[in-house]
Amino acid sequence: MSPPARLIHELFEHQVRLQPEAPALTHGPLTVSYGELNARANRLAQVLKANGVQPDQTVALCAQRSVGLVVGILAILKAGAAYVPLDPSYPSDRLAHALSDSGAQLLIHQAGSGHAGWAQGRLPVAIDAGGRLLLAPEVAPDVAAGNPHNPTLRADHAAYVIYTSGSTGQPKGVVVEHGHVTRLLQATQPLFEFGAQDVWTLFHSFAFDFSVWELWGALLHGGRLVIVSADTARSPEAFYELVLEERVTVLNQTPSAFRPLIAAQARRGGEHRLRTVIFGGEALVLQSLVPWFERNSAEKTTLVNMYGITEITIHATHARITPAQCRSGVGSVIGAALSHLHLQILDPQGQPVALGEMGEIHVGGASVARGYLNQPELTASRFLSDPRDPRPGARMYKTGDLARQHPDGQIEYLGRNDFQVKIRGHRIELGEIEATLLRHPGVQDAVVLARDDPHAPGEKQLAAYCVGPAAKVVSGLALRAFCQQSLAPHMVPSHFDWLERLPLTPNGKIDRHALQVLVPSVAPASDADLGAVSLEARVCELWRQLLCLSQVQPGDDFFALGGNSLSAVRMTLKVREWVRGSALDIAVVFHHPVARDFAQAVQRCAVPAPRAPQGVPA
């Protein structure tokens, strides 16, 4: 029988008592100890409690990656509430929906985050980047740093509400309890043996549940957490430098983020301290790890693939990846269930499939989330009664993911059974994007697909197919700008195509396979063809090829055209090949996203070729 679940912040406070002076957080030059982090969080928690925060209530948090972000999360838990993450990089409409739907009692915002005006009657409590309170006159003055522990708080009270993409056109909030998180960490500790010697990175957005694993995997085991800035997270080179400088030992990555990091390591070299790399968030193509194993020891650095989703609290399986597996061409192996969970692969009638047959993954056990906030019907349709679990009211989650089990017990992931996809680690309901497009007055019908990226094998990009009153009545740039008003950046399609009508199957359903065939092919120009043209023209042509567009003008914006952080990495590497000695960093495209400005910045980054001294024969 598993031990009773604990509260997240109680386990953190245990580490504070063990090592109050040990470093807990690092952000740039700033390091904060366990004792100092605890005191700051206590002070903010007292403010929250003084303003009426109760167990199972929600408190919204809008903050950049910083010490203040971690202080805010910890303080909300200590006050007894559940935090609702509002990533300030997301569109205002999306964040306003989460704030409203969650019923947040208070809003904690970071100075300079630009979203304090969303309070809408809620009392905003401000913190600065270092995690210090900026008290407003209306905030209760009792802010002593004593322990705000609430004796009525239990492990089945909510810890956070994370909003995931919703097929109805609005994100849905998943309610996760303290015990769900602490049971996950208890179950995985024998597999990883995390400890005070480990250094982790907070690489992911705190609105993505992978961050929960990064945050508490470090702080509940006494490790040090390195907070990664947004610019560094976008640059594989800069991030790899950080991994080296901070002597990171535990790294959590989506496969899409790790592939550029492999290339960055190949260029930079250096002796890293990584002992464990954990993959999650999307399907892992094992063959993509062959270059890693060619340069790194499998004994020194263990690579682990973990399958999971928000509704079952981050991770459900564990599979150690070997070089032989990666060379063999086997599929996306996700391993076996963690000890506190059980996986069933069932047919559409809810019966177990035969060994080796494809079915839908159902996950039951101690970390299945409470359900969807304010959506009882949707919760009932996805969180089903679990016949394998003797606990009263035990449920299993119907994932929508397809898999099969091999004779050795290992499970192979086979993809989705609906129209939900993962792009760069983010789970996306294509229906939410389609619903957004249909709100545009020039769009009568729309279908969104995830298709293979022609410039990055194994990666996906979003393509939208639209029908309107007349063909091409709305430009792709206009539709992209419309989507950006309400969708997260990773949900905005890279390409828009107009059709007279959508193709149908004989059953009258949308023929999505036929739509995939309709993707236009853009013939690339060779480097030889570009040799005589200006750098600005070469940049435009490269963007046209990379983003599969018919034309790019000098005044076009890379991200408005559909570029993202991964395509920016590939584009930067290509430009470095053109310009001799270029010190070009990926951050240049984020600071100069217009083609004309980017070309000028590239020219400034170039290092002139050395000249022979005057009077010396060549």
Side-chain angles (χ1 to χ4, degrees):
M1 186 175 179
S2 60
R6 301 283 301 279
L7 297 171
I8 294 171
H9 55 278
E10 282 182 344
L11 295 178
F12 170 77
E13 290 162 357
H14 174 69
Q15 293 297 330
V16 174
R17 291 189 292 272
L18 289 178
Q19 46 172 18
E21 301 303 321
L25 302 176
T26 298
H27 184 213
L30 179 65
T31 297
V32 176
S33 69
Y34 272 82
E36 184 179 358
L37 175 59
N38 190 56
R40 292 189 189 183
N42 283 346
R43 185 165 176 257
L44 179 54
Q46 294 286 22
V47 173
L48 300 179
K49 290 187 68 177
N51 284 278
V53 169
Q54 299 293 323
D56 260 3
Q57 290 182 341
T58 53
V59 173
L61 174 61
C62 185
Q64 305 283 354
R65 300 163 184 242
S66 62
V67 170
L69 171 66
V70 180
V71 170
I73 291 174
L74 187 55
I76 293 170
L77 297 178
K78 282 172 170 281
Y83 73 92
V84 180
L86 303 177
D87 188 326
S89 69
Y90 279 28
S92 295
D93 287 353
R94 187 177 181 87
L95 300 184
H97 167 74
L99 181 62
S100 174
D101 183 71
S102 67
Q105 304 300 303
L106 297 173
L107 168 64
I108 300 176
H109 68 90
Q110 190 176 61
S113 65
H115 295 297
W118 297 349
Q120 299 174 346
R122 298 172 179 85
L123 172 65
V125 180
I127 55 175
D128 68 10
R132 289 172 289 273
L133 280 172
L134 305 175
L135 297 178
E138 65 269 29
V139 174
D142 182 12
V143 292
N147 191 329
H149 177 62
N150 186 338
T152 64
L153 194 63
R154 305 184 309 270
D156 62 353
H157 278 124
Y160 59 84
V161 179
I162 281 184
Y163 278 78
T164 66
S165 186
S167 58
T168 59
Q170 289 286 8
K172 53 187 183 292
V174 181
V175 184
V176 178
E177 300 168 357
H178 281 259
H180 297 148
V181 176
T182 57
R183 286 191 185 101
L184 169 66
L185 293 170
Q186 289 172 343
T188 52
Q189 180 59 2
L191 298 172
F192 294 104
E193 298 182 340
F194 299 134
Q197 77 282 357
D198 282 316
V199 180
W200 296 57
T201 59
L202 184 60
F203 177 87
H204 299 91
S205 165
F206 79 123
F208 181 22
D209 69 343
F210 217 165
S211 67
V212 177
W213 170 257
E214 294 177 305
L215 179 63
W216 304 119
L219 298 181
L220 300 194
H221 295 108
R224 178 167 66 94
L225 184 66
V226 179
I227 301 171
V228 182
S229 70
D231 281 346
T232 299
R234 288 193 292 249
S235 169
E237 287 84 1
F239 182 54
Y240 185 65
E241 286 289 345
L242 184 72
V243 168
L244 295 178
E245 292 173 3
E246 298 293 349
R247 300 189 173 190
V248 175
T249 63
V250 179
L251 185 62
N252 299 274
Q253 293 274 275
T254 63
S256 291
F258 192 67
R259 283 190 289 269
L261 194 65
I262 294 175
Q265 189 213 20
R267 293 186 295 271
R268 167 64 171 81
E271 189 69 19
H272 64 75
R273 301 296 183 93
L274 294 173
R275 73 174 185 90
T276 304
V277 178
I278 300 165
F279 299 109
E282 63 185 355
L284 172 65
V285 179
L286 295 184
Q287 294 93 320
S288 68
L289 299 179
V290 170
W292 170 268
F293 283 119
E294 289 175 348
R295 298 185 183 91
N296 297 272
S297 165
E299 286 72 34
K300 175 186 173 185
T301 306
T302 301
L303 269 53
V304 174
N305 193 24
M306 300 186 78
Y307 161 82
I309 44 182
T310 305
E311 287 87 345
I312 54 86
T313 314
I314 312 165
H315 296 309
T317 70
H318 173 280
R320 181 167 179 168
I321 304 302
T322 67
Q325 285 177 315
C326 297
R327 291 190 294 265
S328 69
V330 298
S332 184
V333 176
I334 60 174
L338 298 173
S339 61
H340 68 308
L341 296 171
H342 53 266
L343 266 65
Q344 302 178 72
I345 302 178
L346 307 179
D347 65 18
Q349 288 71 47
Q351 298 301 310
V353 300
L355 195 67
E357 295 294 322
M358 183 174 69
E360 182 180 355
I361 299 175
H362 291 64
V363 181
S367 281
V368 175
R370 184 185 297 178
Y372 298 116
L373 186 66
N374 302 325
Q375 298 200 48
E377 292 183 0
L378 182 60
T379 297
S381 70
R382 300 300 292 270
F383 292 83
L384 311 178
S385 176
D386 186 357
R388 285 187 53 184
D389 195 326
R391 296 178 302 159
R395 298 163 307 142
M396 61 181 179
Y397 180 68
K398 178 181 170 67
T399 67
D401 289 319
L402 300 175
R404 63 184 168 209
Q405 189 170 26
H406 293 283
D408 62 0
Q410 296 291 297
I411 297 171
E412 179 186 357
Y413 176 80
L414 299 174
R416 294 290 303 174
N417 71 350
D418 55 17
F419 302 130
Q420 186 183 87
V421 298
K422 285 197 174 180
I423 302 290
R424 298 185 296 280
H426 297 277
R427 182 153 56 97
I428 296 170
E429 291 277 3
L430 298 179
E432 181 179 357
I433 308 173
E434 293 168 355
T436 298
L437 286 168
L438 290 173
R439 289 197 291 268
H440 192 285
V443 178
Q444 293 178 333
D445 205 354
V447 171
V448 178
L449 300 178
R451 73 184 191 192
D452 291 330
D453 186 335
H455 299 282
E459 296 179 10
K460 297 287 186 180
Q461 57 184 197
L462 296 173
Y465 300 88
C466 302
V467 175
K472 298 184 179 179
V473 292
V474 185
S475 72
L477 286 176
L479 283 180
R480 183 170 290 109
F482 179 80
C483 290
Q484 287 171 337
Q485 295 175 14
S486 57
L487 296 176
H490 58 269
M491 298 179 67
V492 177
S494 299
H495 307 286
F496 297 83
D497 288 301
W498 285 90
L499 304 173
E500 291 184 7
R501 56 184 172 276
L502 296 174
L504 303 177
T505 68
N507 294 332
K509 297 180 180 181
I510 299 295
D511 190 342
R512 293 173 182 264
H513 177 72
L515 287 174
Q516 292 281 14
V517 175
L518 290 175
V519 173
S521 176
V522 180
S526 67
D527 282 351
D529 296 332
L530 295 171
V533 301
S534 67
L535 182 59
E536 179 178 285
R538 296 188 74 180
V539 166
C540 290
E541 175 57 21
L542 175 61
W543 291 12
R544 183 189 75 83
Q545 296 175 28
L546 194 65
L547 303 178
C548 297
L549 302 171
S550 59
Q551 188 178 27
V552 172
Q553 299 291 341
D556 287 340
D557 184 294
F558 183 77
F559 300 102
L561 293 172
N564 54 53
S565 58
L566 288 177
S567 54
V569 170
R570 294 192 291 271
M571 185 266 291
T572 303
L573 295 178
K574 186 65 176 177
V575 172
R576 285 178 184 169
E577 297 175 7
W578 297 346
V579 185
R580 186 180 186 278
S582 174
L584 184 68
D585 185 83
I586 188 177
V588 173
V589 71
F590 288 93
H591 295 299
H592 304 281
V594 175
R596 180 186 300 109
D597 300 338
F598 177 77
Q600 294 173 359
V602 168
Q603 197 65 55
R604 290 194 294 270
C605 291
V607 178
R611 297 179 179 178
Q614 293 291 332
V616 179

